[in-house]
Amino acid sequence: MISLAGVSSIRKTHDMLPIHSKPKLWNPSIAPNPPTFKKILPLKISNTWNENKEANESKAGRIKRLVLSNEGRTKLDTFPDREFYAYPRFVTHVDDGFIATLTDLYRERLKPGSEILDLMSSWISHLPNEVVYKRVVGHGLNAQELARNSRMDYFFVKDLNQDQKLEIEDSSFDAVLCTVSVQYLQQPEKAFAEVFRVLRPGGVFIVSFSNRLFYEKAINAWRDGTAYSRVQLVLQYFQCIEGFTQPEVIRELPSAGNSQDDKSPFSWFMKWLGLFSGSDPFYAVIAYKNFKPVYD
């Protein structure tokens, strides 16, 4: 955790949003209405069905298999990510079309009054302005960027490639977001397991991305892949965790120049691979923390 002393921030005013004048550093122990959990000791009764059910429920959230090889996790820039992101970048990393599609998706999937964790975030969360959420907690690598984010009530700074453990209690959030950043995770299996842990039952995890990246900071498995293989990679991240529902994939692929009406198989295949230039393609992979225990 780092201090924000001496860091100035530029605030935006949203008349419809009750926001803090300055986002606060996240501290779960002093957060408003922190979730409370009680441990209930199970009755010692002889019931084989209940024992088997509890054993299967305990598997939820475990990593079933590793998706990446050691080589697939490597980056060209091996210096700590905190150094790369030390200087704030007050820019958007995708175009307006991508942002509009993402905001519409959030409007559709995130309920008003939800508690949201925005992982690997920055100075903009792309949440719909007219929707009021109970609490938005942000995470990232640059405190100046996070301090300027007007939608965040709290934030914390942490390098998930160094330590994937989130200092957050179980079942604390209704939704977790990860926007155009999944390509930088070197331990995605552990990170997705942590997301599962902090989600409430039925909570949603939305991972969105395009074809843009900091090439030297993206993992090898992502750098060398196509749009199709990258979607498959994120699908596997979800599928390697016990308890997520079957992931849903959303694609919005831009037209290539004057080929908007081109319905040829070649054109369709090229768009599928994300090889046409132009506007940023939109991809989102979505899954929910299952209500029911998962049985082998």
Side-chain angles (χ1 to χ4, degrees), residues 79-95:
F79 290 99
D81 291 341
R82 289 285 292 271
E83 295 181 12
F84 183 81
Y85 294 101
Y87 185 80
R89 297 174 174 89
F90 296 112
V91 298
T92 54
H93 298 287
V94 283
D95 65 17

Side-chain angles (χ1 to χ4, degrees), residues 27-72:
N27 186 337
S29 63
I30 62 172
N33 302 317
T36 58
F37 305 94
K38 297 181 180 179
K39 292 184 178 179
I40 301 176
L41 296 178
L43 294 175
K44 294 295 183 180
I45 59 176
S46 178
N47 188 321
T48 303
W49 187 88
N50 281 337
E51 290 174 356
N52 289 340
K53 180 173 179 287
E54 290 171 4
N56 281 303
E57 284 179 331
S58 68
K59 295 179 182 179
R62 72 179 176 92
I63 299 172
K64 297 186 289 185
R65 64 182 182 278
L66 295 180
V67 176
L68 298 177
S69 65
N70 289 335
E71 182 181 359

Side-chain angles (χ1 to χ4, degrees), residues 101-114:
T101 302
L102 180 62
T103 300
D104 285 342
L105 178 63
Y106 288 163
R107 186 178 288 112
E108 175 187 342
R109 300 298 180 102
L110 305 179
K111 297 179 180 179
S114 297

Side-chain angles (χ1 to χ4, degrees), residues 128-167:
N129 289 332
E130 77 280 4
V131 181
V132 178
Y133 303 103
K134 182 177 180 180
R135 178 179 57 168
V136 178
V137 176
H139 155 265
L141 280 175
N142 188 282
Q144 289 175 269
E145 292 179 2
L146 297 169
R148 189 180 287 193
N149 191 315
S150 62
R151 297 309 303 267
M152 291 180 182
D153 300 292
Y154 302 89
F155 71 86
F156 62 100
V157 174
K158 186 182 185 70
D159 185 350
L160 292 181
N161 286 329
Q162 295 292 325
D163 179 13
Q164 295 78 45
K165 178 69 174 177
L166 299 173
E167 301 302 324

